[in-house]
Amino acid sequence: MANLQTDFSAFLLGGVNSGSGKTTVSLALMRALKRRGLVVAPFKCGPDYIDPTFHRRASGRESVNLDCRMMGFDSVRRSFHAAASCSQAAVVEGVMGLFDGVSADSLSGSSAEVAITLGIPVVLVVNVRGMAGSIAPLIAGFAGWRNDLRIIGVIADNAGGPNHVRLLADSLEKHSLPPLLGALPRNPEWTLPERHLGLVPELENGKYDAWFDKLADAAEEKINIDLLLECSKMERPRFSFRFPEKKKVRLAIARDPAFHFYYSDNLRMLEENGVELVEFSPLNDSVLPEQIQALYIGGGFPEQFAQRLMQNVSMRTAIKKYAERGGIVYAECGGYMYLMRSITDFDGRSFEMCGVIPSDAVMESKLKSIGYRTVRLKSDCIFGKSGAILKGHEFHYSEAAPTGEPLWDAFDSKDRIVSSGGGYRNGNVCGSYVHIHWASAPQAVESFVGAMEKCIR
């Protein structure tokens, strides 16, 4: 059993492919470790926002995104060390298959790249339905693919009965491969609920807590958690936090079921630079927080709450007046849509929004844009000088005709310009579909804070 005072374990749960069951296994282990009394640090590879919502509910701690392509290697290490230094177990959920990156000849953007960068071992999750002895050559291929990556064990998902599990374990043992650490059986009750916005409020109000506990029960019964913790022991990372005692500025940050997509590192970086984060709800509050120097409206799914957002006229009016007075307003994706004149939902219904940005968002049935983005500032603004570079990710089903001055030029992974990512800028109002990860450009945070210090109170 783990010694809660001294032991620390860290591992990455990587899949053979997407759909291998790694999210289910990750949540089962996070909740099981939490119930054992361990402080769990959850992480998610890639730019995903939905899985971290599940992580937070399962573990009781904010989940941190790790993405070498978007953040850089040093920032990935820093983010991991910051969150893991206060924990007894770090559980990193991978993305797609373990070695799946942005190209066939590169690990860039892959789960394996994160594991190698952090020096943590990998537990491979395999959907074993219809598989027995074939697991051995499969795992042999993964285990021998990279000398700088250590696979310490296998967890099977969608397993059959005891004989099936025994065949899997024996196949790995006979060929001196990483051992089978456990096998979750086929059980419709453990199927991961569809990950979409409609689930998020229910997650946050605890409706799915019983489901998390069922997963944890299965993990305790079917996975050798003690052996997993023992095999993944390492020295606990050290990290010195530098939050100033006296805050320089107050930043109002939208946080409710309609707007909740924020990289936790972005918020930490703001706090480290002397920003006091003051939450408010565009859904429920009638006025903005007092004595603020800026608004930050993150991503989410405002189209799902469009009627309520429209009905909260006092908040929409307050935001528009704040912008018209020269206040700093920054919005990403869903927040960007909220600042527009209107949102038309999937059923063709139009709802009036803030009217700060002279454009209209229309939801489409097909995904309109997805991928990593490198952005270059078009002019001097709250994030720095013209030409400054930041990195992020774009993912949305809505479309809005570009209008006014773009905030930046946005480029995809092949350096092609992406018109949907250019955003909007008018004075201190800045918005875009791109979710920026500020670890890619810490100087942008400093510039943002500096602009807030000069802004009207």
Side-chain angles (χ1 to χ4, degrees):
M1 290 289 264
N3 184 318
L4 301 189
Q5 300 301 316
T6 60
D7 289 347
F8 174 78
S9 298
F11 53 89
L12 182 146
L13 291 160
V16 170
N17 58 286
S18 291
S20 62
K22 58 184 178 294
T23 301
T24 302
V25 173
S26 297
L27 297 175
L29 288 171
M30 288 174 189
R31 178 53 69 95
L33 294 173
K34 179 179 183 291
R35 292 199 318 192
R36 286 186 172 203
L38 275 69
V39 177
V40 180
F43 299 89
K44 173 63 182 180
C45 294
D48 186 286
Y49 281 105
I50 300 297
D51 285 345
T53 302
F54 281 74
H55 292 180
R56 181 172 65 249
R57 196 70 204 182
S59 69
R61 296 278 298 275
E62 287 291 334
S63 183
V64 176
N65 293 78
L66 301 173
D67 191 313
C68 297
R69 181 177 177 82
M70 187 169 62
M71 301 166 59
F73 299 109
D74 288 342
S75 292
V76 163
R77 294 186 191 99
R78 176 180 170 83
S79 296
F80 178 78
H81 292 168
S85 65
C86 304
S87 73
Q88 280 116 14
V91 182
V92 183
E93 181 189 346
V95 59
M96 299 187 293
L98 180 62
F99 296 110
D100 294 331
V102 297
S103 64
D105 59 352
S106 171
L107 290 183
S108 180
S110 70
S111 304
E113 183 180 49
V114 171
I116 292 168
T117 298
L118 299 177
I120 61 174
V122 170
V123 176
L124 205 58
V125 181
V126 184
N127 183 340
V128 296
R129 188 182 183 109
M131 179 188 299
S134 294
I135 196 172
L138 176 67
I139 301 304
F142 272 79
W145 193 248
R146 296 276 304 206
N147 293 330
D148 52 357
L149 184 71
R150 184 166 63 101
I151 296 178
I152 58 172
V154 178
I155 294 178
D157 188 45
N158 215 7
N163 288 337
H164 185 203
V165 175
R166 191 175 303 112
L167 280 170
L168 297 169
D170 289 348
S171 295
L172 294 173
E173 183 178 7
K174 180 178 180 181
H175 296 281
S176 300
L177 293 167
L180 188 70
L181 297 172
L184 294 183
R186 300 166 198 155
N187 188 330
E189 292 185 2
W190 298 339
T191 301
L192 188 67
E194 185 180 355
R195 283 167 280 179
H196 57 79
L197 173 78
L199 193 59
V200 171
E202 296 175 341
L203 275 173
E204 297 300 340
N205 67 24
K207 179 178 178 180
Y208 281 90
D209 276 355
W211 179 78
F212 285 117
D213 284 330
K214 287 181 180 179
L215 287 180
D217 291 341
E220 289 287 2
E221 180 183 355
K222 303 295 184 179
I223 299 174
N224 190 337
I225 297 177
D226 291 336
L227 179 58
L228 171 58
L229 293 174
E230 185 66 30
C231 291
S232 59
K233 276 187 181 180
M234 59 182 291
E235 183 178 352
R236 182 182 288 105
R238 297 181 181 181
F239 188 85
S240 297
F241 292 92
R242 54 181 182 87
F243 299 123
E245 292 184 10
K246 186 176 180 180
K247 300 297 184 182
K248 302 176 185 177
V249 290
R250 283 164 56 89
L251 172 64
I253 179 170
R255 177 86 79 170
D256 61 22
F259 305 103
H260 52 271
F261 289 172
Y262 298 95
Y263 291 124
S264 58
D265 276 334
N266 283 0
L267 304 184
R268 176 176 58 81
M269 292 177 71
L270 287 167
E271 290 181 308
E272 286 183 334
N273 279 273
V275 177
E276 179 184 357
L277 303 178
V278 186
E279 294 186 359
F280 75 101
S281 169
L283 281 174
N284 303 313
D285 295 336
S286 58
V287 297
L288 292 170
E290 296 180 351
Q291 296 183 328
I292 57 172
Q293 283 73 56
L295 301 181
Y296 180 11
I297 309 175
F301 294 88
E303 71 277 6
Q304 297 286 342
F305 298 90
Q307 185 167 352
R308 287 179 57 189
L309 290 169
M310 181 180 69
Q311 290 171 343
N312 193 349
V313 177
S314 59
M315 176 54 73
R316 292 193 290 112
T317 301
I319 290 174
K320 187 171 184 180
K321 287 183 176 180
Y322 184 83
E324 291 173 342
R325 293 199 308 270
I328 294 174
V329 183
Y330 174 57
E332 293 178 327
C333 203
Y336 178 52
M337 294 162 59
Y338 178 55
L339 290 186
M340 295 181 188
R341 289 179 302 218
S342 68
I343 293 176
T344 299
D345 68 10
F346 289 108
D347 296 322
R349 299 173 300 176
S350 182
F351 301 90
E352 187 177 354
M353 293 292 121
C354 293
V356 175
I357 295 175
S359 189
D360 301 280
V362 179
M363 301 304 301
E364 303 286 352
S365 58
K366 294 182 179 180
L367 187 64
K368 300 305 297 184
S369 188
I370 183 173
Y372 289 104
R373 299 288 181 259
T374 297
V375 303
R376 183 176 60 213
L377 294 180
K378 294 279 285 184
S379 59
D380 296 355
C381 69
I382 58 175
F383 296 125
K385 298 291 185 180
S386 175
I389 301 294
L390 301 89
K391 293 184 178 181
H393 190 267
E394 187 177 0
F395 179 98
H396 54 93
Y397 281 85
S398 69
E399 189 169 36
T403 182
E405 178 188 350
L407 173 59
W408 44 47
D409 287 322
F411 302 89
D412 65 14
S413 58
K414 295 183 179 179
D415 292 326
R416 298 172 300 195
I417 197 160
V418 182
S419 60
S420 64
Y424 172 88
R425 189 260 174 123
N426 182 15
N428 284 332
V429 174
C430 298
S432 168
Y433 272 121
V434 180
H435 294 275
I436 293 297
H437 200 300
W438 285 336
S440 66
Q443 68 276 10
V445 180
E446 297 174 7
S447 178
F448 187 32
V449 175
M452 280 191 277
E453 289 183 287
K454 298 175 184 176
C455 195
I456 57 173
R457 291 182 179 271

